[in-house]
Amino acid sequence: MDIVVKGRKTEVPERFRKHVAEKLKLEKIQKLDGKVISLDVEVSKEHNPRQADRSDRVEITLHSRGPVIRAEAAAGDPYAALDLASDKLEARLRKQHDKRYTRRGSGRLSAAEVGDVVPGAAKLNGDGQLAVDETEKVPTTMMGSIEVQGEGPLVVREKTHRAAPMTLDQALYEMELVGHDFYLFVDSDTKQPSVVYRRHAYDYGVIHLESDPLAEGGGAGGALGG
């Protein structure tokens, strides 16, 4: 397994590279996930003096033959940020390891059982649908197809991913593994592009996108905060 350490708009000293190799113990990682291919460690720096206590950010991305697992953290120096990020990565690896063990022991989990495995997962109502609290609103503003939070800064980045269709409970699980607030996937039941997202009150929402050839303009951008 390879460990790649790189800096984004900052230099990475050799001392830090050696510390990464010592901190990310390969034997422990491979014990939790024997399909690991590589680890990417990216270091970036915030030069705003008002954020001195979080000026250094470390993002760790684990690539394997299973789902991608990502953890990131910010602190006053890169070594402290690495410690926080590596702890998050290990916790997510253990969660994935325990999930695999649970599935081998009792079969695949249903959507109703996700809440017992994923902390803070969405609850189902009496109709078997995701329970949504309409009183909570995500404090975001949609500018066309771009979501803007607060006053920015506005960062636009475009990515294309290949993905196999999956169920809703698998999408929730993989969103937890990468530590994001949303996860884009293709629903294996409906074959529709879909997004599952974390709401403000630790609930989850899901949006399915259905193509309408007769519709003119518009889209589903404003629906994410509902």
Side-chain angles (χ1 to χ4, degrees), residues 201-213:
Y202 301 101
D203 289 333
Y204 292 83
V206 61
I207 297 173
H208 300 290
L209 187 62
E210 184 177 72
S211 176
D212 185 352

Side-chain angles (χ1 to χ4, degrees), residues 115-214:
D116 298 330
V117 178
V118 181
K123 302 298 183 181
L124 299 181
N125 59 26
D127 298 326
Q129 303 296 320
L130 287 174
V132 178
D133 184 357
E134 293 296 337
T135 64
E136 298 292 343
K137 299 295 181 182
V138 178
T140 59
T141 302
M142 298 304 301
M143 302 295 293
S145 60
I146 301 174
E147 180 182 287
V148 181
Q149 294 183 335
E151 298 179 355
L154 179 62
V155 179
V156 180
R157 182 166 58 177
E158 182 176 351
K159 288 185 178 181
T160 300
H161 296 279
R162 294 180 180 273
M166 64 179 65
T167 59
L168 173 60
D169 61 319
Q170 181 65 21
L172 281 167
Y173 169 59
E174 298 208 16
M175 183 181 73
E176 290 292 335
L177 288 181
V178 297
H180 285 177
D181 291 330
F182 68 94
Y183 194 83
L184 177 65
F185 69 104
V186 177
D187 192 299
S188 59
D189 295 326
T190 65
K191 311 304 180 187
Q192 295 173 334
S194 304
V195 175
V196 62
Y197 62 96
R198 190 193 312 276
R199 292 172 53 81
H200 182 67
Y202 301 101
D203 289 333
Y204 292 83
V206 61
I207 297 173
H208 300 290
L209 187 62
E210 184 177 72
S211 176
D212 185 352
L214 301 179

Side-chain angles (χ1 to χ4, degrees), residues 46-64:
E46 171 59 59
H47 297 285
N48 188 339
R50 291 181 297 179
Q51 299 185 22
D53 60 333
R54 297 172 57 85
S55 60
D56 292 276
R57 178 172 295 275
V58 172
E59 179 178 305
I60 307 173
T61 304
L62 183 149
H63 300 276
S64 72

